[in-house]
PDB file of all heavy atoms in Angstrom:
ATOM      1  N   CYS A 874     127.112 100.755  99.503  1.00 98.00           N
ATOM      2  CA  CYS A 874     126.523  99.604  98.815  1.00 98.00           C
ATOM      3  C   CYS A 874     125.010  99.768  98.677  1.00 98.00           C
ATOM      4  O   CYS A 874     124.438  99.470  97.634  1.00 98.00           O
ATOM      5  CB  CYS A 874     126.852  98.330  99.596  1.00 98.00           C
ATOM      6  SG  CYS A 874     126.147  96.854  98.859  1.00 98.00           S
ATOM      7  N   ALA A 875     124.376 100.253  99.749  1.00 98.00           N
ATOM      8  CA  ALA A 875     122.932 100.453  99.710  1.00 98.00           C
ATOM      9  C   ALA A 875     122.549 101.464  98.632  1.00 98.00           C
ATOM     10  O   ALA A 875     121.548 101.288  97.919  1.00 98.00           O
ATOM     11  CB  ALA A 875     122.422 100.907 101.071  1.00 98.00           C
ATOM     12  N   ALA A 876     123.336 102.536  98.502  1.00 98.00           N
ATOM     13  CA  ALA A 876     123.045 103.556  97.494  1.00 98.00           C
ATOM     14  C   ALA A 876     123.158 102.983  96.082  1.00 98.00           C
ATOM     15  O   ALA A 876     122.320 103.251  95.216  1.00 98.00           O
ATOM     16  CB  ALA A 876     123.992 104.740  97.662  1.00 98.00           C
ATOM     17  N   THR A 877     124.191 102.193  95.843  1.00 98.00           N
ATOM     18  CA  THR A 877     124.368 101.556  94.534  1.00 98.00           C
ATOM     19  C   THR A 877     123.211 100.611  94.228  1.00 98.00           C
ATOM     20  O   THR A 877     122.640 100.622  93.127  1.00 98.00           O
ATOM     21  CB  THR A 877     125.698 100.781  94.508  1.00 98.00           C
ATOM     22  OG1 THR A 877     126.781 101.704  94.664  1.00 98.00           O
ATOM     23  CG2 THR A 877     125.867 100.021  93.199  1.00 98.00           C
ATOM     24  N   THR A 878     122.855  99.802  95.210  1.00 98.00           N
ATOM     25  CA  THR A 878     121.781  98.820  95.014  1.00 98.00           C
ATOM     26  C   THR A 878     120.447  99.504  94.759  1.00 98.00           C
ATOM     27  O   THR A 878     119.662  99.074  93.909  1.00 98.00           O
ATOM     28  CB  THR A 878     121.680  97.895  96.244  1.00 98.00           C
ATOM     29  OG1 THR A 878     122.983  97.365  96.541  1.00 98.00           O
ATOM     30  CG2 THR A 878     120.698  96.770  96.012  1.00 98.00           C
ATOM     31  N   LEU A 879     120.191 100.573  95.498  1.00 98.00           N
ATOM     32  CA  LEU A 879     118.940 101.304  95.326  1.00 98.00           C
ATOM     33  C   LEU A 879     118.879 101.964  93.948  1.00 98.00           C
ATOM     34  O   LEU A 879     117.821 101.977  93.305  1.00 98.00           O
ATOM     35  CB  LEU A 879     118.775 102.353  96.429  1.00 98.00           C
ATOM     36  CG  LEU A 879     117.453 103.114  96.439  1.00 98.00           C
ATOM     37  CD1 LEU A 879     116.260 102.178  96.591  1.00 98.00           C
ATOM     38  CD2 LEU A 879     117.455 104.159  97.558  1.00 98.00           C
ATOM     39  N   ALA A 880     120.002 102.485  93.482  1.00 98.00           N
ATOM     40  CA  ALA A 880     120.023 103.100  92.150  1.00 98.00           C
ATOM     41  C   ALA A 880     119.687 102.072  91.077  1.00 98.00           C
ATOM     42  O   ALA A 880     118.869 102.326  90.184  1.00 98.00           O
ATOM     43  CB  ALA A 880     121.390 103.714  91.880  1.00 98.00           C
ATOM     44  N   PHE A 881     120.296 100.908  91.146  1.00 98.00           N
ATOM     45  CA  PHE A 881     120.006  99.837  90.187  1.00 98.00           C
ATOM     46  C   PHE A 881     118.531  99.449  90.247  1.00 98.00           C
ATOM     47  O   PHE A 881     117.859  99.325  89.211  1.00 98.00           O
ATOM     48  CB  PHE A 881     120.888  98.620  90.505  1.00 98.00           C
ATOM     49  CG  PHE A 881     120.625  97.421  89.642  1.00 98.00           C
ATOM     50  CD1 PHE A 881     121.365  97.201  88.493  1.00 98.00           C
ATOM     51  CD2 PHE A 881     119.631  96.509  89.978  1.00 98.00           C
ATOM     52  CE1 PHE A 881     121.118  96.090  87.690  1.00 98.00           C
ATOM     53  CE2 PHE A 881     119.369  95.396  89.187  1.00 98.00           C
ATOM     54  CZ  PHE A 881     120.124  95.191  88.032  1.00 98.00           C
ATOM     55  N   THR A 882     118.015  99.275  91.455  1.00 98.00           N
ATOM     56  CA  THR A 882     116.619  98.856  91.634  1.00 98.00           C
ATOM     57  C   THR A 882     115.656  99.895  91.089  1.00 98.00           C
ATOM     58  O   THR A 882     114.663  99.566  90.429  1.00 98.00           O
ATOM     59  CB  THR A 882     116.337  98.597  93.130  1.00 98.00           C
ATOM     60  OG1 THR A 882     117.228  97.576  93.596  1.00 98.00           O
ATOM     61  CG2 THR A 882     114.899  98.176  93.362  1.00 98.00           C
ATOM     62  N   ARG A 883     115.927 101.170  91.341  1.00 98.00           N
ATOM     63  CA  ARG A 883     115.055 102.236  90.861  1.00 98.00           C
ATOM     64  C   ARG A 883     115.083 102.321  89.333  1.00 98.00           C
ATOM     65  O   ARG A 883     114.038 102.531  88.696  1.00 98.00           O
ATOM     66  CB  ARG A 883     115.470 103.569  91.478  1.00 98.00           C
ATOM     67  CG  ARG A 883     115.260 103.641  92.982  1.00 98.00           C
ATOM     68  CD  ARG A 883     115.721 104.980  93.553  1.00 98.00           C
ATOM     69  NE  ARG A 883     114.973 106.064  92.961  1.00 98.00           N
ATOM     70  CZ  ARG A 883     115.524 107.212  92.547  1.00 98.00           C
ATOM     71  NH1 ARG A 883     116.824 107.404  92.652  1.00 98.00           N
ATOM     72  NH2 ARG A 883     114.765 108.152  92.030  1.00 98.00           N
ATOM     73  N   ALA A 884     116.266 102.189  88.752  1.00 98.00           N
ATOM     74  CA  ALA A 884     116.372 102.231  87.295  1.00 98.00           C
ATOM     75  C   ALA A 884     115.625 101.054  86.665  1.00 98.00           C
ATOM     76  O   ALA A 884     114.895 101.219  85.686  1.00 98.00           O
ATOM     77  CB  ALA A 884     117.840 102.207  86.885  1.00 98.00           C
ATOM     78  N   PHE A 885     115.804  99.873  87.231  1.00 98.00           N
ATOM     79  CA  PHE A 885     115.095  98.690  86.754  1.00 98.00           C
ATOM     80  C   PHE A 885     113.590  98.911  86.849  1.00 98.00           C
ATOM     81  O   PHE A 885     112.842  98.645  85.899  1.00 98.00           O
ATOM     82  CB  PHE A 885     115.522  97.482  87.599  1.00 98.00           C
ATOM     83  CG  PHE A 885     114.985  96.164  87.123  1.00 98.00           C
ATOM     84  CD1 PHE A 885     115.755  95.334  86.329  1.00 98.00           C
ATOM     85  CD2 PHE A 885     113.713  95.729  87.479  1.00 98.00           C
ATOM     86  CE1 PHE A 885     115.276  94.105  85.890  1.00 98.00           C
ATOM     87  CE2 PHE A 885     113.223  94.507  87.053  1.00 98.00           C
ATOM     88  CZ  PHE A 885     114.011  93.698  86.258  1.00 98.00           C
ATOM     89  N   THR A 886     113.155  99.424  87.978  1.00 98.00           N
ATOM     90  CA  THR A 886     111.734  99.664  88.216  1.00 98.00           C
ATOM     91  C   THR A 886     111.158 100.653  87.218  1.00 98.00           C
ATOM     92  O   THR A 886     110.101 100.419  86.618  1.00 98.00           O
ATOM     93  CB  THR A 886     111.536 100.189  89.653  1.00 98.00           C
ATOM     94  OG1 THR A 886     111.928  99.166  90.573  1.00 98.00           O
ATOM     95  CG2 THR A 886     110.102 100.590  89.909  1.00 98.00           C
ATOM     96  N   ARG A 887     111.848 101.768  87.033  1.00 98.00           N
ATOM     97  CA  ARG A 887     111.342 102.803  86.127  1.00 98.00           C
ATOM     98  C   ARG A 887     111.209 102.273  84.708  1.00 98.00           C
ATOM     99  O   ARG A 887     110.203 102.515  84.031  1.00 98.00           O
ATOM    100  CB  ARG A 887     112.260 104.036  86.147  1.00 98.00           C
ATOM    101  CG  ARG A 887     111.750 105.138  85.237  1.00 98.00           C
ATOM    102  CD  ARG A 887     112.740 106.284  85.103  1.00 98.00           C
ATOM    103  NE  ARG A 887     112.858 107.057  86.325  1.00 98.00           N
ATOM    104  CZ  ARG A 887     113.621 108.154  86.424  1.00 98.00           C
ATOM    105  NH1 ARG A 887     114.316 108.579  85.380  1.00 98.00           N
ATOM    106  NH2 ARG A 887     113.684 108.810  87.567  1.00 98.00           N
ATOM    107  N   GLU A 888     112.224 101.531  84.259  1.00 98.00           N
ATOM    108  CA  GLU A 888     112.206 101.034  82.883  1.00 98.00           C
ATOM    109  C   GLU A 888     111.123  99.975  82.683  1.00 98.00           C
ATOM    110  O   GLU A 888     110.423  99.978  81.662  1.00 98.00           O
ATOM    111  CB  GLU A 888     113.574 100.475  82.506  1.00 98.00           C
ATOM    112  CG  GLU A 888     113.689 100.035  81.065  1.00 98.00           C
ATOM    113  CD  GLU A 888     113.516 101.169  80.067  1.00 98.00           C
ATOM    114  OE1 GLU A 888     113.767 102.345  80.430  1.00 98.00           O
ATOM    115  OE2 GLU A 888     113.122 100.894  78.917  1.00 98.00           O
ATOM    116  N   VAL A 889     110.966  99.067  83.637  1.00 98.00           N
ATOM    117  CA  VAL A 889     109.902  98.066  83.541  1.00 98.00           C
ATOM    118  C   VAL A 889     108.545  98.753  83.440  1.00 98.00           C
ATOM    119  O   VAL A 889     107.695  98.394  82.624  1.00 98.00           O
ATOM    120  CB  VAL A 889     109.944  97.096  84.743  1.00 98.00           C
ATOM    121  CG1 VAL A 889     108.658  96.268  84.841  1.00 98.00           C
ATOM    122  CG2 VAL A 889     111.146  96.169  84.636  1.00 98.00           C
ATOM    123  N   ARG A 890     108.354  99.768  84.253  1.00 97.00           N
ATOM    124  CA  ARG A 890     107.087 100.510  84.261  1.00 97.00           C
ATOM    125  C   ARG A 890     106.879 101.229  82.921  1.00 97.00           C
ATOM    126  O   ARG A 890     105.773 101.236  82.377  1.00 97.00           O
ATOM    127  CB  ARG A 890     107.103 101.498  85.423  1.00 97.00           C
ATOM    128  CG  ARG A 890     105.775 102.138  85.743  1.00 97.00           C
ATOM    129  CD  ARG A 890     105.888 102.996  86.989  1.00 97.00           C
ATOM    130  NE  ARG A 890     105.871 102.199  88.202  1.00 97.00           N
ATOM    131  CZ  ARG A 890     106.686 102.377  89.244  1.00 97.00           C
ATOM    132  NH1 ARG A 890     107.615 103.320  89.216  1.00 97.00           N
ATOM    133  NH2 ARG A 890     106.585 101.609  90.317  1.00 97.00           N
ATOM    134  N   GLU A 891     107.937 101.826  82.386  1.00 98.00           N
ATOM    135  CA  GLU A 891     107.812 102.547  81.119  1.00 98.00           C
ATOM    136  C   GLU A 891     107.517 101.594  79.957  1.00 98.00           C
ATOM    137  O   GLU A 891     106.922 102.000  78.961  1.00 98.00           O
ATOM    138  CB  GLU A 891     109.083 103.349  80.849  1.00 98.00           C
ATOM    139  CG  GLU A 891     109.198 104.583  81.749  1.00 98.00           C
ATOM    140  CD  GLU A 891     110.417 105.438  81.436  1.00 98.00           C
ATOM    141  OE1 GLU A 891     111.220 105.031  80.563  1.00 98.00           O
ATOM    142  OE2 GLU A 891     110.559 106.500  82.068  1.00 98.00           O
ATOM    143  N   GLN A 892     107.900 100.344  80.093  1.00 97.00           N
ATOM    144  CA  GLN A 892     107.625  99.342  79.066  1.00 97.00           C
ATOM    145  C   GLN A 892     106.200  98.790  79.166  1.00 97.00           C
ATOM    146  O   GLN A 892     105.792  97.960  78.360  1.00 97.00           O
ATOM    147  CB  GLN A 892     108.619  98.188  79.191  1.00 97.00           C
ATOM    148  CG  GLN A 892     110.065  98.569  78.946  1.00 97.00           C
ATOM    149  CD  GLN A 892     110.482  98.428  77.503  1.00 97.00           C
ATOM    150  OE1 GLN A 892     109.787  97.819  76.701  1.00 97.00           O
ATOM    151  NE2 GLN A 892     111.609  99.013  77.160  1.00 97.00           N
ATOM    152  N   GLY A 893     105.437  99.239  80.171  1.00 97.00           N
ATOM    153  CA  GLY A 893     104.048  98.820  80.313  1.00 97.00           C
ATOM    154  C   GLY A 893     103.845  97.608  81.206  1.00 97.00           C
ATOM    155  O   GLY A 893     102.732  97.074  81.289  1.00 97.00           O
ATOM    156  N   TYR A 894     104.899  97.174  81.886  1.00 98.00           N
ATOM    157  CA  TYR A 894     104.820  96.058  82.815  1.00 98.00           C
ATOM    158  C   TYR A 894     104.830  96.580  84.253  1.00 98.00           C
ATOM    159  O   TYR A 894     105.102  97.755  84.495  1.00 98.00           O
ATOM    160  CB  TYR A 894     105.964  95.073  82.569  1.00 98.00           C
ATOM    161  CG  TYR A 894     105.797  94.269  81.289  1.00 98.00           C
ATOM    162  CD1 TYR A 894     105.914  94.887  80.041  1.00 98.00           C
ATOM    163  CD2 TYR A 894     105.488  92.914  81.321  1.00 98.00           C
ATOM    164  CE1 TYR A 894     105.737  94.173  78.861  1.00 98.00           C
ATOM    165  CE2 TYR A 894     105.306  92.187  80.137  1.00 98.00           C
ATOM    166  CZ  TYR A 894     105.438  92.826  78.924  1.00 98.00           C
ATOM    167  OH  TYR A 894     105.241  92.115  77.760  1.00 98.00           O
ATOM    168  N   ILE A 895     104.521  95.708  85.189  1.00 98.00           N
ATOM    169  CA  ILE A 895     104.415  96.110  86.593  1.00 98.00           C
ATOM    170  C   ILE A 895     105.655  95.649  87.348  1.00 98.00           C
ATOM    171  O   ILE A 895     105.929  94.450  87.417  1.00 98.00           O
ATOM    172  CB  ILE A 895     103.138  95.526  87.226  1.00 98.00           C
ATOM    173  CG1 ILE A 895     101.916  96.157  86.562  1.00 98.00           C
ATOM    174  CG2 ILE A 895     103.115  95.733  88.737  1.00 98.00           C
ATOM    175  CD1 ILE A 895     100.600  95.565  86.983  1.00 98.00           C
ATOM    176  N   PRO A 896     106.439  96.576  87.895  1.00 98.00           N
ATOM    177  CA  PRO A 896     107.677  96.198  88.563  1.00 98.00           C
ATOM    178  C   PRO A 896     107.426  95.659  89.974  1.00 98.00           C
ATOM    179  O   PRO A 896     106.765  96.278  90.789  1.00 98.00           O
ATOM    180  CB  PRO A 896     108.462  97.512  88.616  1.00 98.00           C
ATOM    181  CG  PRO A 896     107.421  98.573  88.610  1.00 98.00           C
ATOM    182  CD  PRO A 896     106.264  98.033  87.802  1.00 98.00           C
ATOM    183  N   GLY A 897     107.966  94.477  90.230  1.00 98.00           N
ATOM    184  CA  GLY A 897     107.928  93.886  91.557  1.00 98.00           C
ATOM    185  C   GLY A 897     109.344  93.647  92.045  1.00 98.00           C
ATOM    186  O   GLY A 897     110.324  93.788  91.294  1.00 98.00           O
ATOM    187  N   TYR A 898     109.468  93.237  93.302  1.00 98.00           N
ATOM    188  CA  TYR A 898     110.797  93.116  93.918  1.00 98.00           C
ATOM    189  C   TYR A 898     110.765  92.051  94.994  1.00 98.00           C
ATOM    190  O   TYR A 898     109.927  92.086  95.894  1.00 98.00           O
ATOM    191  CB  TYR A 898     111.163  94.471  94.531  1.00 98.00           C
ATOM    192  CG  TYR A 898     112.491  94.556  95.243  1.00 98.00           C
ATOM    193  CD1 TYR A 898     113.660  94.844  94.554  1.00 98.00           C
ATOM    194  CD2 TYR A 898     112.577  94.398  96.627  1.00 98.00           C
ATOM    195  CE1 TYR A 898     114.880  94.974  95.209  1.00 98.00           C
ATOM    196  CE2 TYR A 898     113.794  94.518  97.292  1.00 98.00           C
ATOM    197  CZ  TYR A 898     114.941  94.797  96.570  1.00 98.00           C
ATOM    198  OH  TYR A 898     116.140  94.928  97.217  1.00 98.00           O
ATOM    199  N   TYR A 899     111.681  91.078  94.865  1.00 98.00           N
ATOM    200  CA  TYR A 899     111.838  90.032  95.876  1.00 98.00           C
ATOM    201  C   TYR A 899     113.137  90.249  96.649  1.00 98.00           C
ATOM    202  O   TYR A 899     114.195  90.513  96.049  1.00 98.00           O
ATOM    203  CB  TYR A 899     111.896  88.646  95.219  1.00 98.00           C
ATOM    204  CG  TYR A 899     112.388  87.588  96.183  1.00 98.00           C
ATOM    205  CD1 TYR A 899     111.507  86.893  96.999  1.00 98.00           C
ATOM    206  CD2 TYR A 899     113.752  87.319  96.321  1.00 98.00           C
ATOM    207  CE1 TYR A 899     111.958  85.951  97.915  1.00 98.00           C
ATOM    208  CE2 TYR A 899     114.213  86.382  97.227  1.00 98.00           C
ATOM    209  CZ  TYR A 899     113.314  85.707  98.023  1.00 98.00           C
ATOM    210  OH  TYR A 899     113.781  84.789  98.933  1.00 98.00           O
ATOM    211  N   SER A 900     113.058  90.107  97.978  1.00 98.00           N
ATOM    212  CA  SER A 900     114.275  90.092  98.793  1.00 98.00           C
ATOM    213  C   SER A 900     113.935  89.594 100.188  1.00 98.00           C
ATOM    214  O   SER A 900     112.768  89.354 100.524  1.00 98.00           O
ATOM    215  CB  SER A 900     114.912  91.487  98.867  1.00 98.00           C
ATOM    216  OG  SER A 900     116.229  91.407  99.407  1.00 98.00           O
ATOM    217  N   SER A 901     114.968  89.446 100.996  1.00 98.00           N
ATOM    218  CA  SER A 901     114.785  89.101 102.399  1.00 98.00           C
ATOM    219  C   SER A 901     114.145  90.281 103.143  1.00 98.00           C
ATOM    220  O   SER A 901     114.490  91.442 102.902  1.00 98.00           O
ATOM    221  CB  SER A 901     116.143  88.783 103.023  1.00 98.00           C
ATOM    222  OG  SER A 901     116.052  88.712 104.423  1.00 98.00           O
ATOM    223  N   SER A 902     113.242  89.978 104.045  1.00 98.00           N
ATOM    224  CA  SER A 902     112.564  91.042 104.796  1.00 98.00           C
ATOM    225  C   SER A 902     113.538  91.969 105.499  1.00 98.00           C
ATOM    226  O   SER A 902     113.336  93.183 105.524  1.00 98.00           O
ATOM    227  CB  SER A 902     111.621  90.435 105.840  1.00 98.00           C
ATOM    228  OG  SER A 902     110.462  89.913 105.238  1.00 98.00           O
ATOM    229  N   THR A 903     114.592  91.397 106.073  1.00 97.00           N
ATOM    230  CA  THR A 903     115.481  92.211 106.894  1.00 97.00           C
ATOM    231  C   THR A 903     116.660  92.790 106.133  1.00 97.00           C
ATOM    232  O   THR A 903     117.580  93.340 106.745  1.00 97.00           O
ATOM    233  CB  THR A 903     115.978  91.387 108.100  1.00 97.00           C
ATOM    234  OG1 THR A 903     116.592  90.181 107.619  1.00 97.00           O
ATOM    235  CG2 THR A 903     114.820  91.032 109.011  1.00 97.00           C
ATOM    236  N   SER A 904     116.646  92.693 104.792  1.00 98.00           N
ATOM    237  CA  SER A 904     117.672  93.386 104.020  1.00 98.00           C
ATOM    238  C   SER A 904     117.014  94.240 102.945  1.00 98.00           C
ATOM    239  O   SER A 904     116.691  95.409 103.180  1.00 98.00           O
ATOM    240  CB  SER A 904     118.688  92.398 103.434  1.00 98.00           C
ATOM    241  OG  SER A 904     118.084  91.516 102.514  1.00 98.00           O
ATOM    242  N   GLY A 905     116.752  93.668 101.781  1.00 98.00           N
ATOM    243  CA  GLY A 905     116.211  94.469 100.688  1.00 98.00           C
ATOM    244  C   GLY A 905     114.854  95.076 100.974  1.00 98.00           C
ATOM    245  O   GLY A 905     114.575  96.222 100.589  1.00 98.00           O
ATOM    246  N   ILE A 906     113.982  94.332 101.653  1.00 98.00           N
ATOM    247  CA  ILE A 906     112.635  94.856 101.933  1.00 98.00           C
ATOM    248  C   ILE A 906     112.705  95.986 102.947  1.00 98.00           C
ATOM    249  O   ILE A 906     112.070  97.039 102.773  1.00 98.00           O
ATOM    250  CB  ILE A 906     111.707  93.727 102.416  1.00 98.00           C
ATOM    251  CG1 ILE A 906     111.614  92.623 101.343  1.00 98.00           C
ATOM    252  CG2 ILE A 906     110.331  94.275 102.758  1.00 98.00           C
ATOM    253  CD1 ILE A 906     111.094  93.051 100.000  1.00 98.00           C
ATOM    254  N   ALA A 907     113.489  95.799 104.014  1.00 98.00           N
ATOM    255  CA  ALA A 907     113.676  96.876 104.987  1.00 98.00           C
ATOM    256  C   ALA A 907     114.274  98.114 104.324  1.00 98.00           C
ATOM    257  O   ALA A 907     113.882  99.252 104.620  1.00 98.00           O
ATOM    258  CB  ALA A 907     114.571  96.407 106.133  1.00 98.00           C
ATOM    259  N   HIS A 908     115.216  97.899 103.410  1.00 98.00           N
ATOM    260  CA  HIS A 908     115.850  99.011 102.694  1.00 98.00           C
ATOM    261  C   HIS A 908     114.824  99.793 101.862  1.00 98.00           C
ATOM    262  O   HIS A 908     114.773 101.032 101.903  1.00 98.00           O
ATOM    263  CB  HIS A 908     116.955  98.451 101.807  1.00 98.00           C
ATOM    264  CG  HIS A 908     117.786  99.475 101.120  1.00 98.00           C
ATOM    265  ND1 HIS A 908     118.590  99.169 100.053  1.00 98.00           N
ATOM    266  CD2 HIS A 908     117.943 100.813 101.326  1.00 98.00           C
ATOM    267  CE1 HIS A 908     119.208 100.258  99.639  1.00 98.00           C
ATOM    268  NE2 HIS A 908     118.829 101.273 100.391  1.00 98.00           N
ATOM    269  N   LEU A 909     113.973  99.085 101.129  1.00 98.00           N
ATOM    270  CA  LEU A 909     112.988  99.778 100.300  1.00 98.00           C
ATOM    271  C   LEU A 909     111.928 100.467 101.140  1.00 98.00           C
ATOM    272  O   LEU A 909     111.441 101.543 100.772  1.00 98.00           O
ATOM    273  CB  LEU A 909     112.335  98.806  99.320  1.00 98.00           C
ATOM    274  CG  LEU A 909     113.190  98.310  98.159  1.00 98.00           C
ATOM    275  CD1 LEU A 909     112.315  97.723  97.067  1.00 98.00           C
ATOM    276  CD2 LEU A 909     114.073  99.411  97.576  1.00 98.00           C
ATOM    277  N   GLU A 910     111.550  99.869 102.247  1.00 97.00           N
ATOM    278  CA  GLU A 910     110.584 100.549 103.123  1.00 97.00           C
ATOM    279  C   GLU A 910     111.172 101.843 103.664  1.00 97.00           C
ATOM    280  O   GLU A 910     110.494 102.866 103.730  1.00 97.00           O
ATOM    281  CB  GLU A 910     110.179  99.613 104.265  1.00 97.00           C
ATOM    282  CG  GLU A 910     109.329 100.260 105.346  1.00 97.00           C
ATOM    283  CD  GLU A 910     107.923 100.660 104.899  1.00 97.00           C
ATOM    284  OE1 GLU A 910     107.659 100.717 103.673  1.00 97.00           O
ATOM    285  OE2 GLU A 910     107.087 100.935 105.778  1.00 97.00           O
ATOM    286  N   ASN A 911     112.444 101.812 104.004  1.00 97.00           N
ATOM    287  CA  ASN A 911     113.076 103.030 104.482  1.00 97.00           C
ATOM    288  C   ASN A 911     113.171 104.070 103.375  1.00 97.00           C
ATOM    289  O   ASN A 911     112.993 105.272 103.600  1.00 97.00           O
ATOM    290  CB  ASN A 911     114.460 102.719 105.040  1.00 97.00           C
ATOM    291  CG  ASN A 911     114.919 103.780 106.008  1.00 97.00           C
ATOM    292  OD1 ASN A 911     114.293 104.004 107.037  1.00 97.00           O
ATOM    293  ND2 ASN A 911     116.014 104.435 105.684  1.00 97.00           N
ATOM    294  N   ALA A 912     113.439 103.609 102.150  1.00 97.00           N
ATOM    295  CA  ALA A 912     113.471 104.526 101.011  1.00 97.00           C
ATOM    296  C   ALA A 912     112.094 105.147 100.783  1.00 97.00           C
ATOM    297  O   ALA A 912     111.967 106.333 100.464  1.00 97.00           O
ATOM    298  CB  ALA A 912     113.941 103.785  99.765  1.00 97.00           C
ATOM    299  N   ARG A 913     111.043 104.342 100.935  1.00 97.00           N
ATOM    300  CA  ARG A 913     109.682 104.864 100.789  1.00 97.00           C
ATOM    301  C   ARG A 913     109.416 105.959 101.815  1.00 97.00           C
ATOM    302  O   ARG A 913     108.881 107.025 101.490  1.00 97.00           O
ATOM    303  CB  ARG A 913     108.659 103.738 100.965  1.00 97.00           C
ATOM    304  CG  ARG A 913     107.203 104.190 100.789  1.00 97.00           C
ATOM    305  CD  ARG A 913     106.229 103.121 101.224  1.00 97.00           C
ATOM    306  NE  ARG A 913     106.286 102.872 102.650  1.00 97.00           N
ATOM    307  CZ  ARG A 913     105.717 103.643 103.575  1.00 97.00           C
ATOM    308  NH1 ARG A 913     105.052 104.732 103.226  1.00 97.00           N
ATOM    309  NH2 ARG A 913     105.827 103.350 104.854  1.00 97.00           N
ATOM    310  N   LEU A 914     109.826 105.715 103.057  1.00 95.00           N
ATOM    311  CA  LEU A 914     109.634 106.711 104.100  1.00 95.00           C
ATOM    312  C   LEU A 914     110.421 107.986 103.824  1.00 95.00           C
ATOM    313  O   LEU A 914     110.024 109.076 104.230  1.00 95.00           O
ATOM    314  CB  LEU A 914     110.037 106.134 105.462  1.00 95.00           C
ATOM    315  CG  LEU A 914     109.113 105.052 106.027  1.00 95.00           C
ATOM    316  CD1 LEU A 914     109.750 104.371 107.226  1.00 95.00           C
ATOM    317  CD2 LEU A 914     107.770 105.642 106.404  1.00 95.00           C
TER     318      LEU A 914
END
Side-chain angles (χ1 to χ4, degrees):
C874 179
T877 296
T878 309
L879 185 59
F881 176 94
T882 301
R883 294 179 61 223
F885 186 97
T886 296
R887 181 188 290 183
E888 185 63 25
V889 166
R890 192 175 282 136
E891 287 183 356
Q892 296 270 347
Y894 288 69
I895 294 174
Y898 179 86
Y899 166 89
S900 193
S901 168
S902 285
T903 55
S904 64
I906 301 301
H908 186 196
L909 288 198
E910 172 68 345
N911 202 61
R913 182 191 67 79
L914 290 169

